[in-house]
Amino acid sequence: MYPATAVPQINITILKGEKGDRGDRGLQGKYGKTGSAGARGHTGPKGQKGSMGAPGERCKSHYAAFSVGRKKPMHSNHYYQTVIFDTEFVNLYDHFNMFTGKFYCYVPGLYFFSLNVHTWNQKETYLHIMKNEEEVVILFAQVGDRSIMQSQSLMLELREQDQVWVRLYKGERENAIFSEELDTYITFSGYLVKHATEP
């Protein structure tokens, strides 16, 4: 009923205003996934030689061993007697004193000792292996018509300055050990098995 009217076209570009101020910084977004490791870099230059370290502790000897014998017989008396040995087979670092008949511990640890004697027929054999002044083990043989070889062995834990030696029992009974110049019938031996500082 009415004639069509054309709609006017507006150019928007002419309506654009001036650039506004920069807004506030937004909140930080979430972290992304970790990336793969990069390639290994080149070897760096060799560093300078370091200074000399402090000197270490002095090396200590961890060895001890002896083996001695006696060529002379021995009879009991009215008092205890230390068995003195006259033959030296092994005496590492002279830890066994041939004059006193005693082993002196300079290297603490676990030791093995062995005593071998020849009994005297018709006489008793009665000795002790001693640690300091303590009777540790006995070597005993009853009176018999025949003389025999008799032995005793043990292990002891020793501290520095401990002494191990052999004592003949005093003469309440006829007590003796046999030996002669041509052969060695009496022996006493010992050696370090494990040093005290070893695990």
Side-chain angles (χ1 to χ4, degrees):
M1 295 181 62
Y2 298 97
T5 304
V7 178
Q9 299 293 324
I10 301 174
N11 187 356
I12 299 178
T13 57
I14 63 174
L15 299 178
K16 185 177 180 181
E18 296 180 358
K19 186 177 180 179
D21 297 332
R22 186 173 182 176
D24 295 334
R25 185 172 182 175
L27 299 175
Q28 183 174 348
K30 297 181 179 179
Y31 286 102
K33 295 182 179 180
T34 303
S36 58
R40 184 172 182 177
H42 297 291
T43 304
K46 186 176 181 180
Q48 296 181 350
K49 186 176 181 180
S51 58
M52 183 181 293
E57 294 184 0
R58 184 177 178 181
C59 180
K60 296 182 179 180
S61 170
H62 288 178
Y63 302 96
F66 74 92
S67 184
V68 293
R70 180 182 173 95
K71 291 181 177 292
K72 298 178 181 179
M74 192 171 180
H75 295 268
S76 60
N77 209 322
H78 297 297
Y79 49 86
Y80 296 114
Q81 298 179 75
T82 302
V83 178
I84 302 298
F85 297 88
D86 50 38
T87 304
E88 185 179 87
F89 300 113
V90 173
N91 193 5
L92 197 61
Y93 308 123
D94 293 325
H95 290 183
F96 188 90
N97 190 312
M98 297 295 290
F99 296 99
T100 63
K102 297 181 178 182
F103 170 75
Y104 294 86
C105 178
Y106 295 99
V107 184
L110 191 64
Y111 283 80
F112 176 83
F113 295 96
S114 175
L115 173 64
N116 298 275
V117 302
H118 194 282
T119 66
W120 205 313
N121 56 325
Q122 303 301 328
K123 295 182 180 180
E124 192 174 64
T125 301
Y126 195 174
L127 304 103
H128 283 99
I129 295 180
M130 308 287 292
K131 176 183 175 183
N132 301 324
E133 297 301 319
E134 175 190 358
E135 300 171 350
V136 183
V137 293
I138 186 173
L139 189 154
F140 178 78
Q142 293 180 331
V143 177
D145 296 332
R146 294 191 310 163
S147 59
I148 59 172
M149 294 297 295
Q150 195 83 342
S151 65
Q152 179 65 281
S153 59
L154 77 160
M155 298 183 75
L156 289 174
E157 188 170 358
L158 300 182
R159 297 179 179 178
E160 196 167 346
Q161 300 303 321
D162 278 343
Q163 304 171 19
V164 180
W165 48 290
V166 181
R167 188 188 71 182
L168 184 69
Y169 199 78
K170 58 185 178 180
E172 296 177 356
R173 294 169 289 208
E174 190 69 21
N175 181 22
I177 48 178
F178 175 81
S179 194
E180 60 182 10
E181 294 292 339
L182 297 178
D183 291 299
T184 305
Y185 288 88
I186 305 165
T187 61
F188 183 39
S189 306
Y191 59 89
L192 177 68
V193 176
K194 178 179 175 293
H195 189 266
T197 60
E198 293 180 8

